[in-house]
Amino acid sequence: MSGPDHSELHLLYVEHSGWLKGWLRARLGNASDAADLAQDTFLRMLSARDVQAIREPRTYLSAIARALMIDKFRRQAVEQAYLDVLALRPEPMDISPETRLLILETLTAVDAMLDGLGERTRRIFLAVQLEGLSYVATGERLGVSVTTVKKHMIRAMTHCLLLMED
């Protein structure tokens, strides 16, 4: 990073970090989480844009922070669903913290991938991949042709492959 960019970033941080933390605290109800997300917001902004090109810093920062909050809430929802399923098991499972983290990261990635699909594509993909339905059975259930099922499966698989490359 060159000198002018560094000073611009420093100025942006000094002028807006307090406001951003307050904005996040009002939405999260927790100063610690707000401080963490504010830090993540500035890190994301640093890697995403030339600081000098930002015309409306608070609008830009709040958009990044809002996306990070959504990611945080999604991760929490996935983790809670995972814990709920574990609680239903007849015998307790002894899972190491490392394994638990890997499971939660995988579930969060799958959730994000599914969220990136359109509604029909997601329903077709889940019917085929999760429920094990044939293309014919999936088409009959959803009232679409086998050709449509194939088209949506190609779309879903392409989406998965592109995410894996990132």
Side-chain angles (χ1 to χ4, degrees):
M1 176 178 275
S2 64
D5 287 340
H6 180 70
S7 64
E8 288 286 330
L9 177 62
H10 178 72
L11 182 61
L12 186 72
Y13 183 82
V14 167
E15 290 179 351
H16 301 288
S17 64
W19 168 83
L20 183 60
K21 287 177 193 173
W23 186 86
L24 287 164
R25 188 173 38 254
R27 283 151 182 78
L28 297 170
N30 180 315
S32 178
D33 287 344
D36 288 345
L37 276 180
Q39 183 70 22
D40 291 346
T41 299
F42 278 100
L43 287 174
R44 176 83 50 97
M45 185 213 49
L46 176 63
S47 65
R49 287 252 343 222
D50 174 21
V51 177
Q52 296 169 332
I54 299 172
R55 296 191 191 284
E56 298 289 334
R58 290 188 178 185
T59 302
Y60 188 70
L61 290 169
S62 63
I64 294 172
R66 190 173 291 110
L68 290 173
M69 278 192 302
I70 290 168
D71 290 346
K72 178 180 178 55
F73 294 146
R74 177 177 285 143
R75 279 191 307 276
Q76 288 174 337
V78 167
E79 183 172 1
Q80 189 57 54
Y82 170 70
L83 293 174
D84 291 346
V85 168
L86 282 182
L88 294 175
R89 295 185 52 85
E91 70 277 346
M93 292 186 64
D94 188 26
I95 299 174
S96 72
E98 295 84 9
T99 301
R100 181 173 181 244
L101 180 62
L102 286 172
I103 291 169
L104 291 173
E105 286 177 350
T106 302
L107 289 172
T108 302
V110 169
D111 181 59
M113 184 279 301
L114 291 172
D115 192 51
L117 298 175
E119 178 63 28
R120 180 181 278 180
T121 303
R122 180 175 40 253
R123 289 179 65 201
I124 289 171
F125 180 78
L126 290 174
V128 172
Q129 294 298 316
L130 194 61
E131 296 179 48
L133 294 181
S134 68
Y135 286 11
V136 172
T138 300
E140 288 173 358
R141 176 194 280 181
L142 299 175
V144 298
S145 69
V146 173
T147 303
T148 299
V149 171
K150 288 179 183 178
K151 178 181 78 170
H152 285 279
M153 284 302 295
I154 290 169
R155 186 176 296 154
M157 294 298 196
T158 302
H159 180 72
C160 291
L161 289 172
L162 290 174
L163 288 176
M164 289 176 56
E165 288 179 2
D166 292 341

